[in-house]
Amino acid sequence: MGERAIAAGGLAFEEITEEHLAGVLDIYNYYVLNTTISFHTEPQTLEEMRQSVLSGDPRYKSYAILQDGSLAGYVLIARHKNKQAYDTSGEISIYLQPGSGGQGIGGQALRFIEQKAAELRFHVLVATVCADNEPSRRLFTRHGYEQSALFREIGHKFGRWLDIASYQKIIGQASI
């Protein structure tokens, strides 16, 4: 079993392992099939999810969010871009069980992943969300992220053109 941490609000964060994959896949595929939160248009396979959350690189971490022992969602730091100058920047994502918004889970997950990112010596975190996703936009803004980009009509899903907004936060002074 991987690293496990308990947050102040009673949530547990545990590095994602094979035992979490099916639940993480179910959460993600719900958003693929029913929302514009994910820009995938086809459900992901277990192998695709494995590659997404179990990168094998020790800097890019994925954590299951556990509430009372049950999977409440997951949070991750991924590579922002595959070029060396970006190595101090990370892309973060949070996915919660459908219907569990508004309980403070996203905020706790965000504070947790920021702490992990600082420990891993990231300098900047970036979150990219569908511009229609007001709850995520408010979450990031409330936690000190600034909108740094807006790409208009960059995706097409459910017969609609969709915008994405990128948010960033400088979290540390990584030494170069």
Side-chain angles (χ1 to χ4, degrees), residues 156-171:
H156 192 265
K157 187 174 181 181
F158 301 138
R160 297 177 42 221
W161 289 107
L162 301 167
D163 302 342
I164 60 168
S166 291
Y167 292 81
Q168 75 172 64
K169 183 176 183 179
I170 296 173
I171 63 163

Side-chain angles (χ1 to χ4, degrees), residues 85-107:
Y86 292 110
D87 283 351
T88 59
S89 299
E91 179 107 16
I92 58 172
S93 298
I94 302 169
Y95 288 92
L96 302 179
Q97 284 285 4
S100 64
Q103 299 176 32
I105 298 170

Side-chain angles (χ1 to χ4, degrees), residues 143-165:
H143 289 272
Y145 287 73
E146 296 178 2
Q147 184 175 323
S148 54
L150 178 66
F151 297 95
R152 298 202 176 274
E153 296 186 7
I154 199 158
H156 192 265
K157 187 174 181 181
F158 301 138
R160 297 177 42 221
W161 289 107
L162 301 167
D163 302 342
I164 60 168

